[in-house]
Amino acid sequence: MPLPLQPERSVVTVCAYCGVGCGLEAQTRAGRIVRMLPWKEGKSNHGHSCVKGRFAYDYYHAPDRVRTPLIRDSIDQPWREASWDEAIAFTAQGLRGVQQRHGVRSIGAVSSSRCTNEEIYLTQKLARAVFGNNNIDNCARICHSPTQFGLSATIGAGAASQHFDSILQADVILVVGANPTEGHPVFGSLLKRRVRQGATLLVIDPRRTETVSSPHCQATVHLALRPGTNVLVLNSVAHVIVTEGLYREAFVRERCEWPEFERWQALVSDPRYAPEVAGPEAGLDPEAIRTLARRYAAGPNSAIYYGLGVTEHSQGSTGVMCLGNLALACGMLGREGVGVNPLRGQGNVQGGSCLGSWPHVYSGYRFVSDPEVRASFEAGWGVALDPEPGLRLPNMFDAAVGGDFRGMFIMGEDPVQSDPNQNHVIAAMRNMEFVVLQDLYRNETSKYAHVLLPGSSALEKDGTFTNAERRVSRVRQVVPPLAGLQDWEVVVRLMNAMGYATQYRDAGEVLLELASLTPAYSGLSFELLERVGSAQWPVDAKAPEGTEVLHLERFPRANGLGTFMLTGYVPTTERSSERYPLLLTTGRILTQYNAGTQTRRSANSQWHPEDVLEISAADAIARGIRDGEQVQVSSRFGSTQLKAVYSQRVNPGVVYTTFHHAESRVNALTSDRSDWATNCPEYKVTAVEVLRVAAPAGVSAASTQASEVLA
Ligand code: SF4
């Protein structure tokens, strides 16, 4: 007789949270998960995991899971339970009805980085082959879309150049706008291990994060720049490298476009980027910029890791290009221990990017406007395809407010909570005639939906995820889907109900189809992954078991050379002012994950029951704010209330919060400014004022006695 917690079965799968993509062994008993253990064979985690992967799995059987399809004719009506057949027919009629009334391009779809590669592929196929347009986007739009654009422009591939273990060969580690010890903990531990072994750690981040300073890991240089000045500071670093002759000319001449290097060299040599000029503008000591530049250029192996602190800016793509430029100039690509590596937030955000969930490219980042590429998909899918790029997610919302875009299929996303300028998103939702949401729970977006289809969690389905190091791993079904269908099966049913006849035996057959149409995934199959465990793309005839390090001999550009992009600094128009004198920036903590949808339905909630506002004691005292007091945070776009906590991690003039709780309404504050190239929102810079909730209107903090606060 087994003991109560003794497992009857175990299944190896992938963590559903961050982009590290840890292999986990799920142990079950009587159809329920009793334990989640880090998998020793996992190539991205080697038997380690963090508190999210290990403990935050209870969400899958939370009492408020959506267990049956719900439908209604208008959003002011109560929900009505429906069978799968009725709900799918209702959905198909609703979406087709919008198209009949308003045109083929009046609807679109959004996919999620929490879904599998197979589901993401099928969702973009739904938009293209069944809706008949390219109105498809995904949540990478609001996080790492600048990575795709900026790295493709410089080094030809919008993905990590290395595998995680490559950091163990790095002599210098430059972390920009990321906090891996909280956001990507297992990789963060590897980074700390390398620093303890003697590598130099350089960090550029407005906040003194745990990565900057903890008992076992200290950065040699920390540039606590003013939010919004990334490009200025990175150009200043480049200025030092160029003007002090620290670049590797032999590498640039052999592997890069030399005339573009000369143009870039001229740009960053401009005196405005000299540390003595740029440093004070960014709130930095010029000598610290010089030290960081010299250490990075000296290597011999220097590796860059970066996160949303680079991408979520009005110059997000420019910031990514700055990093590509630096690595090329210093010859830090094409071997172990170097490279440029985006730390992807969600478990499958790399897959979401690779598999065509963009309005302008098919899977493998190939343009919908390219007749040859389009013909290959038309042959594969058996339909004529729209050659015009579709709408990006923010443009869908704009068009909805304007009345041209009237229906949406949203898979596993909560844009009302997650996207910037919440009031605008709500106006867009209200204006649409037919919104379909497929999700695990009711959420902020479901308030505006006409159909709510039960989603299946990563624990309930088969497929693959692609992690931040391009590693494709098997997601295996641990427990049956609570509502009976995996997400990919629902999409296939919807395709058929909308008149596109198609069937797949299982998720493995979907992978084979996407592999046949996606060169970098062409060698992938469930069989291969059973045999080798996981594989980093490209997986193809040349590399049948995958590719750990990219750019060994050439860059994937037409001439094989890397190039330098001009990265002039254009300050964001979101600036502090007399009325909004502080700059708000955001981030994550270890125990929670993104909007908290899953982690808040687990015991991890005990560790982070609410989001708080970190504020320097100087700014707090000047406003009469006590430590732990509730405050009103207001921006030009909205306001919310948070608990203020004195913090030495932020400089005066900067405040910081996490965004794991919907009640915090942090996105009520954020602007609709976005990256010039990709529309990635400028989440990381919002001018705000913070006042005591109790303070009478119009009484500024300066008038409140500091002595009262300190009493
Ligand atoms: Fe690994 Fe990230 Fe999951 Fe933690 S959240 S277990 S680091 S994949």
Side-chain angles (χ1 to χ4, degrees):
M1 191 69 185
L3 295 170
L5 286 179
Q6 191 172 343
E8 296 165 338
R9 179 172 168 261
S10 77
V11 179
V12 171
T13 188
V14 186
C15 177
Y17 290 114
C18 86
V20 178
C22 294
L24 298 174
E25 184 185 335
Q27 299 186 338
T28 62
R29 180 183 169 79
R32 291 280 286 265
I33 299 172
V34 294
R35 196 177 293 115
M36 195 72 86
L37 297 173
W39 186 41
K40 287 196 172 54
E41 310 298 318
K43 291 179 184 168
S44 66
N45 62 313
H46 304 297
H48 298 278
S49 73
C50 78
V51 290
K52 293 187 283 288
R54 185 82 196 273
F55 302 118
Y57 55 80
D58 282 344
Y59 65 86
Y60 82 92
H61 60 80
D64 61 342
R65 274 288 296 272
V66 180
R67 289 159 200 263
T68 188
L70 301 170
I71 59 176
R72 57 186 173 184
D73 294 318
S74 74
I75 61 171
D76 47 20
Q77 289 179 353
W79 288 110
R80 185 160 57 83
E81 290 192 357
S83 67
W84 274 112
D85 285 346
E86 186 187 3
I88 294 287
F90 184 80
T91 302
Q93 282 164 14
L95 290 171
R96 282 291 188 230
V98 172
Q99 287 189 298
Q100 279 155 12
R101 289 189 294 280
H102 303 288
V104 168
R105 292 179 177 157
S106 62
I107 65 171
V110 183
S111 74
S112 168
S113 299
R114 291 185 206 188
C115 292
T116 61
N117 285 328
E118 292 70 23
E119 289 160 349
I120 290 165
Y121 168 81
L122 286 177
T123 306
Q124 58 92 38
K125 183 176 176 181
L126 172 75
R128 295 193 158 109
V130 185
F131 294 177
N133 63 51
N134 289 305
N135 292 335
I136 172 72
D137 211 341
N138 76 101
C139 52
R141 171 69 57 207
I142 60 171
C143 61
H144 266 288
S145 50
T147 285
Q148 173 55 34
F149 189 84
L151 289 188
S152 294
T154 48
I155 59 177
S161 52
Q162 314 295 124
H163 55 129
F164 289 143
D165 290 352
S166 165
I167 198 171
L168 297 174
Q169 310 298 320
D171 305 297
V172 176
I173 300 164
L174 172 58
V175 177
V176 189
N179 183 16
T181 60
E182 304 239 22
H184 301 80
V186 167
F187 174 72
S189 295
L190 197 64
L191 181 152
K192 284 182 175 177
R193 183 169 132 203
R194 186 61 189 151
V195 174
R196 281 198 304 274
Q197 289 171 348
T200 298
L201 176 63
L202 312 170
V203 181
I204 303 177
D205 196 293
R207 189 165 166 263
R208 270 179 294 285
T209 61
E210 223 239 341
T211 303
V212 173
S213 174
S214 65
H216 306 295
C217 182
Q218 296 287 331
T220 301
V221 181
H222 172 214
L223 301 184
L225 76 181
R226 194 164 52 77
T229 58
N230 282 342
V231 170
L232 176 67
V233 172
L234 292 169
N235 280 347
S236 189
V237 171
H239 178 95
V240 176
I241 288 168
V242 162
T243 56
E244 295 188 8
L246 305 176
Y247 57 91
R248 296 195 187 181
E249 184 172 338
F251 182 92
V252 177
R253 286 196 181 276
E254 186 191 343
R255 302 280 317 264
C256 306
E257 294 172 344
W258 180 260
E260 303 308 319
F261 170 76
E262 289 185 318
R263 273 190 270 277
W264 172 76
Q265 187 180 31
L267 174 96
V268 298
S269 299
D270 190 293
R272 72 181 287 221
Y273 298 126
E276 291 67 29
V277 179
E281 194 177 337
L284 299 173
D285 172 9
E287 203 46 42
I289 298 176
R290 288 194 180 277
T291 304
L292 182 138
R294 290 167 188 153
R295 297 297 284 263
Y296 175 76
N301 282 344
S302 297
I304 294 173
Y305 297 88
Y306 72 92
L308 304 184
V310 171
T311 56
E312 290 179 342
H313 289 270
S314 59
Q315 280 201 293
S317 292
T318 316
V320 175
M321 289 172 188
C322 286
L323 299 175
N325 290 341
L326 281 177
L328 287 170
C330 296
M332 298 299 178
L333 285 155
R335 61 184 184 277
E336 296 266 6
V338 296
V340 186
N341 300 281
L343 293 170
R344 302 275 189 166
Q346 302 220 49
N348 198 29
V349 73
Q350 182 66 59
S353 295
C354 294
L355 293 170
S357 252
W358 302 106
H360 64 303
V361 288
Y362 297 117
S363 60
Y365 309 104
R366 289 158 306 147
F367 291 102
V368 298
S369 54
D370 182 326
E372 208 174 307
V373 173
R374 197 167 61 252
S376 69
F377 281 88
E378 288 177 334
W381 295 346
V383 289
L385 296 172
D386 188 346
E388 287 293 316
L391 295 173
R392 296 171 173 180
L393 183 56
N395 304 131
M396 291 187 207
F397 292 139
D398 291 345
V401 170
D404 293 334
F405 186 80
R406 310 305 290 260
M408 204 176 214
F409 175 82
I410 305 168
M411 181 190 260
E413 276 297 303
D414 185 5
V416 173
Q417 187 184 343
S418 303
D419 286 39
N421 198 349
Q422 194 175 52
N423 294 333
H424 182 66
V425 177
I426 289 173
M429 287 288 167
R430 283 189 182 284
N431 231 25
M432 280 190 268
E433 291 178 13
F434 198 74
V435 175
V436 184
L437 179 68
Q438 185 173 7
D439 215 315
L440 303 184
Y441 317 98
R442 297 188 192 195
N443 58 27
E444 293 301 304
T445 300
S446 64
K447 292 174 185 167
Y448 308 96
H450 301 78
V451 180
L452 179 51
L453 301 171
S456 54
S457 74
L459 297 164
E460 297 158 59
K461 55 191 167 195
D462 277 307
T464 55
F465 278 174
T466 307
N467 79 350
E469 50 170 0
R470 297 171 281 107
R471 183 179 300 285
V472 182
S473 302
R474 271 286 268 124
V475 175
R476 292 186 181 85
Q477 191 182 73
V478 178
V479 290
L482 208 60
L485 293 177
Q486 302 180 42
D487 289 345
W488 70 266
E489 293 173 308
V490 176
V491 177
V492 171
R493 283 198 185 197
L494 182 56
M495 287 175 160
N496 282 284
M498 293 185 77
Y500 181 87
T502 187
Q503 290 301 331
Y504 298 91
R505 194 177 56 247
D506 54 25
E509 200 170 35
V510 183
L511 176 61
L512 290 178
E513 179 181 307
L514 77 84
S516 72
L517 290 165
T518 314
Y521 282 62
S522 60
L524 280 164
S525 64
F526 277 10
E527 288 69 30
L528 176 85
L529 296 176
E530 290 300 330
R531 187 160 53 79
V532 302
S534 60
Q536 288 176 266
W537 65 256
V539 185
D540 52 22
K542 275 196 218 149
E545 295 191 0
T547 311
E548 288 190 333
V549 177
L550 297 180
H551 317 310
L552 293 180
E553 287 163 9
R554 67 190 306 278
F555 294 99
R557 300 181 67 248
N559 60 9
L561 300 175
T563 197
F564 291 80
M565 299 299 291
L566 296 182
T567 54
Y569 171 58
V570 181
T572 173
T573 51
E574 178 65 12
R575 297 190 197 152
S576 54
S577 64
E578 204 172 320
R579 189 160 177 203
Y580 301 106
L582 305 172
L583 290 176
L584 170 73
T585 191
T586 58
R588 304 177 191 187
I589 61 154
L590 171 65
T591 55
Q592 293 289 327
Y593 182 72
N594 275 8
T597 308
Q598 291 146 290
T599 46
R600 288 182 63 199
R601 289 178 172 86
S602 77
N604 282 26
S605 281
Q606 294 170 26
W607 285 314
H608 183 75
E610 64 180 327
D611 294 316
V612 298
L613 186 80
E614 290 187 12
I615 184 168
S616 71
D619 284 330
I621 290 169
R623 288 162 173 76
I625 296 166
R626 295 180 176 87
D627 190 24
E629 189 172 23
Q630 199 72 5
V631 291
Q632 183 85 17
V633 188
S634 304
S635 75
R636 296 180 180 97
F637 306 90
S639 66
T640 191
Q641 291 193 3
L642 293 166
K643 183 197 282 182
V645 173
Y646 287 13
S647 172
Q648 295 184 340
R649 291 198 182 273
V650 290
N651 284 337
V654 176
V655 290
Y656 167 89
T657 189
T658 49
F659 45 79
H660 301 304
H661 294 260
E663 301 82 348
S664 309
R665 298 184 67 247
V666 175
N667 280 340
L669 301 171
T670 49
S671 76
D672 52 8
R673 289 185 178 81
S674 62
D675 175 41
W676 62 272
T678 65
N679 279 138
C680 181
E682 189 170 54
Y683 283 136
K684 298 299 181 190
V685 193
T686 307
V688 296
E689 176 57 300
V690 179
L691 293 173
R692 296 175 65 192
V693 169
V699 176
S700 114
S703 64
T704 310
Q705 293 297 316
S707 56
E708 178 201 341
V709 176
L710 297 170

